[in-house]
């Protein structure tokens, strides 16, 4: 088995190797044994991202240890070309209560079968589509397909914007894939007997303003997540707001808009933009700042500039699952509120996908900017 320690800071190695191994599965309040089966190397982007994720897992283990939770960690470098069945033959693999991985779809089936045989929970942390979750109760899938994500967002949108007039703005973006959301939302509004308006970003002022209600607050939805079109709509809304100052206008966006926050923050506040996502990397949060500082201390490096941050993802996921297994043992299902942990970036709550099947993460967040220059994260 390839050693991962050539490629990972040795800071936590003493903690890893000093923990005693146990043969029995953990019960409530006992030691939790965790296996990590990911590409832990520095040969490509996948490896470097997963090394950062693994560092977050180690930081979670360290935090839990200081709170009285005993954790035994085993890590294996399972690269894309590797046969995971060889890793599963390692002597400590069958002793795990939880295995985090894999990263690649073809490795899911053998790991799922192994988990079922040895009664091990498997956390699949990233974007793998697999039907194994439909029939294997040991699997927990974090990734939400675009179809599931949009269904969850539409449900929460309808709750949050009850009593609002919805305006869809066609931005003429032939590359857009946001129709899955806009068409889905329109169908739901029609089924509920609610009227909405459709306009175009290239429409003249007179036609554009007719789409807006004078008696209800308005919420604007674009059919693209691109920045150039968003800026055009902001310009249209600014002109409309100047000529019709009594109009109440809000906007509902897309996860990509988080990347534009630095350049559009004033408009986000002005139009009370809400952005749906599976995570929120909040640069203004004191917890985020403390985590970043600890990461630098521990590994003498900054996190990779990516959304979401991989180390924080690893921390949130590992803390949630390990604490859950510590509290409930094999009865842990990842249900909402069961762990009592407020995530730094990536919320989790799981529901069973099918009778006898595994569990799917159903948690999303709405990032709300308001006129008082505050940012609120609403977790569902």
């Amino acid at each position: 088995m390839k050693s991962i320690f050539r490629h990972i800071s040795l800071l936590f190695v003493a903690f890893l190797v000093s923990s005693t191994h146990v043969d029995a599965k953990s019960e409530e309040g006992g030691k939790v044994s965790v296996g990590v089966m990911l590409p832990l190397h520095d040969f490509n982007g996948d490896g470097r991202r997963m090394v950062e994720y693994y560092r977050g897992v180690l930081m979670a283990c360290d935090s839990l240890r200081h709170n009285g939770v005993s954790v035994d960690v085993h890590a294996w470098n399972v690269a894309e070309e590797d046969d995971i069945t060889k890793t599963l033959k390692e002597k400590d693999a069958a002793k795990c209560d939880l295995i985090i991985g894999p990263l690649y779809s073809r490795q899911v089936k053998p790991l799922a079968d192994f988990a079922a045989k040895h009664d091990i929970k498997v956390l699949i942390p990233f974007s793998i589509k697999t039907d194994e979750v439909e029939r294997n109760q040991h699997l927990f899938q974090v990734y939400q397909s675009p179809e599931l994500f949009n269904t969850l967002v539409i449900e929460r949108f309808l709750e949050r914007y009850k009593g609002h007039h919805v305006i869809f703005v066609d931005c003429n973006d032939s590359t857009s894939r946001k129709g899955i959301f806009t068409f889905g939302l329109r169908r739901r509004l029609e089924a509920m007997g609610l009227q909405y308006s459709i306009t175009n970003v290239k429409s003249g002022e007179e036609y554009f303003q007719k789409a807006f209600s004078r008696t209800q607050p308005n919420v604007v939805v674009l059919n693209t997540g691109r920045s150039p079109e968003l800026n055009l709509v902001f310009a249209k809304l600014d002109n409309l707001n100047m000529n019709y100052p009594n109009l109440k206008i809000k906007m509902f966006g897309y996860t990509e808009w988080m990347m534009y926050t630095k350049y559009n923050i004033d408009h986000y506040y002005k139009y009370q933009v809400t952005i749906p996502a599976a995570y929120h990397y909040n640069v203004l949060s004191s917890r985020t700042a403390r985590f970043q500082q600890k990461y630098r201390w521990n590994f003498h490096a900054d996190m990779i500039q990516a959304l979401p941050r991989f180390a924080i993802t690893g921390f949130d996921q590992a803390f949630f699952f390990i604490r859950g297994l510590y509290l409930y043992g094999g009865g842990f299902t990842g249900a909402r509120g069961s762990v009592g942990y407020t995530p730094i970036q990536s919320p989790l709550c799981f529901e069973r996908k099918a009778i006898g099947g595994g569990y799917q993460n159903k948690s999303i967040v709405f990032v709300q900017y308001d006129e008082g220059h505050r940012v609120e994260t609403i977790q569902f």
Side-chain angles (χ1 to χ4, degrees):
M1 180 54 57
K2 300 173 185 176
S3 171
I4 65 171
F5 296 122
R6 291 177 298 161
H7 312 295
I8 303 174
S9 170
L10 299 181
L11 186 66
F12 283 111
V13 170
F15 161 61
L16 295 181
V17 300
S18 64
S19 53
T20 58
H21 297 184
V22 290
D23 293 325
K25 296 291 181 186
S26 70
E27 299 296 334
E28 179 182 343
K31 181 189 289 288
V32 180
S33 182
V34 179
V36 178
M37 296 184 184
L38 293 168
L40 301 174
H41 55 69
D42 60 2
F43 302 134
N44 57 32
D46 282 353
R48 286 185 282 273
R49 287 186 287 270
M50 291 306 97
V51 165
E52 180 170 301
Y53 172 90
Y54 176 58
R55 288 172 171 176
V57 171
L58 294 178
M59 291 175 68
C61 292
D62 195 53
S63 293
L64 287 161
R65 184 169 59 89
H66 282 96
N67 284 279
V69 180
S70 182
V71 186
D72 184 19
V73 181
H74 308 273
W76 293 275
N77 172 24
V78 184
E80 184 172 11
E81 68 277 9
D82 289 345
D83 180 357
I84 198 171
T85 60
K86 294 180 180 179
T87 305
L88 297 174
K89 293 176 182 177
E90 294 284 318
K91 64 181 181 68
D92 292 316
K95 300 177 182 178
C96 293
D97 302 294
L98 169 70
I99 293 177
I100 300 175
L103 186 64
Y104 305 108
S105 296
R106 71 178 184 85
Q107 297 167 347
V108 173
K109 180 65 166 64
L111 177 55
D113 291 344
F114 180 84
K117 179 180 179 180
H118 296 282
D119 193 21
I120 299 169
K121 296 188 186 302
V122 174
L123 167 61
I124 305 175
F126 295 106
S127 55
I128 286 178
K129 289 185 178 181
T130 174
D131 58 5
E132 290 298 316
V133 184
E134 300 287 343
R135 52 180 175 268
N136 190 325
Q137 64 181 342
H138 295 81
L139 303 189
F140 290 75
Q141 185 169 29
V142 175
Y143 170 71
Q144 298 164 346
S145 69
E147 294 78 13
L148 173 60
F149 179 77
N150 280 287
T151 297
L152 295 171
V153 171
I154 288 170
E155 291 296 329
R156 299 305 183 181
F157 178 101
L158 294 169
E159 294 172 4
R160 186 160 184 77
Y161 292 103
K162 188 176 182 180
H164 287 65
H165 178 65
V166 183
I167 301 158
F168 296 95
V169 179
D170 185 353
C171 295
N172 311 300
D173 176 11
S174 61
T175 67
S176 175
R177 297 182 179 179
K178 300 305 180 184
I180 187 177
F181 175 72
T182 56
F183 291 148
L185 179 55
R186 286 169 58 183
R187 285 194 296 268
R188 287 298 308 277
L189 291 169
E190 291 164 2
M192 297 170 69
L194 299 174
Q195 294 187 344
Y196 58 84
S197 299
I198 302 176
T199 188
N200 194 290
V201 69
K202 293 184 178 179
S203 298
E205 180 182 327
E206 182 177 357
Y207 183 79
F208 190 74
Q209 60 87 18
K210 286 182 179 179
F212 290 76
S213 173
R214 269 63 175 173
T215 59
Q216 294 176 278
N218 298 278
V219 55
V220 175
V221 179
L222 279 57
N223 65 349
T224 179
R226 283 165 41 104
S227 178
E229 287 80 1
L230 174 60
N231 291 331
L232 288 175
V233 174
F234 278 143
K236 297 281 286 191
L237 292 177
D238 285 345
N239 188 58
L240 184 67
N241 187 256
M242 182 175 61
N243 293 324
Y244 302 91
N246 292 326
L247 286 179
K248 296 179 180 179
I249 304 172
K250 299 177 183 178
M251 293 186 72
F252 191 82
Y254 300 101
T255 304
E256 296 94 315
W257 289 17
M258 289 183 179
M259 296 186 293
Y260 319 145
T261 302
K262 179 180 179 181
Y263 312 102
N264 293 311
I265 187 67
D266 290 335
H267 277 120
Y268 285 10
Y269 288 137
K270 181 177 181 180
Y271 296 112
Q272 301 176 57
V273 168
T274 294
I275 299 175
Y279 62 87
H280 180 213
Y281 173 65
N282 186 357
V283 295
L284 303 178
S285 165
S286 60
R287 293 182 70 207
T288 301
R290 286 197 299 272
F291 184 93
Q292 291 178 156
Q293 186 179 49
K294 288 181 180 179
Y295 186 90
R296 292 190 193 103
W297 287 345
N298 291 335
F299 304 107
H300 310 293
D302 288 318
M303 291 181 287
I304 298 169
Q305 295 295 309
L307 288 177
R309 293 294 194 267
F310 287 94
I312 304 179
T313 302
F315 185 94
D316 282 336
Q317 292 182 359
F319 199 105
F320 180 84
F321 267 85
I322 296 170
R323 180 168 169 78
L325 287 168
Y326 179 79
L327 292 173
Y328 303 103
F332 177 61
T333 63
R336 184 184 303 278
S338 59
V339 174
Y341 170 63
T342 302
I344 302 173
Q345 174 188 251
S346 306
L348 298 167
C349 74
F350 289 84
E351 296 178 13
R352 192 184 291 274
K353 289 199 70 171
I355 297 175
Y359 298 83
Q360 170 71 61
N361 177 35
K362 294 290 188 70
S363 184
I364 60 172
V365 298
F366 279 5
V367 182
Q368 168 75 59
Y369 297 80
D370 66 37
E371 293 176 299
H373 285 220
R374 294 185 299 270
V375 182
E376 181 183 6
T377 302
I378 306 160
Q379 296 182 12
F380 299 104

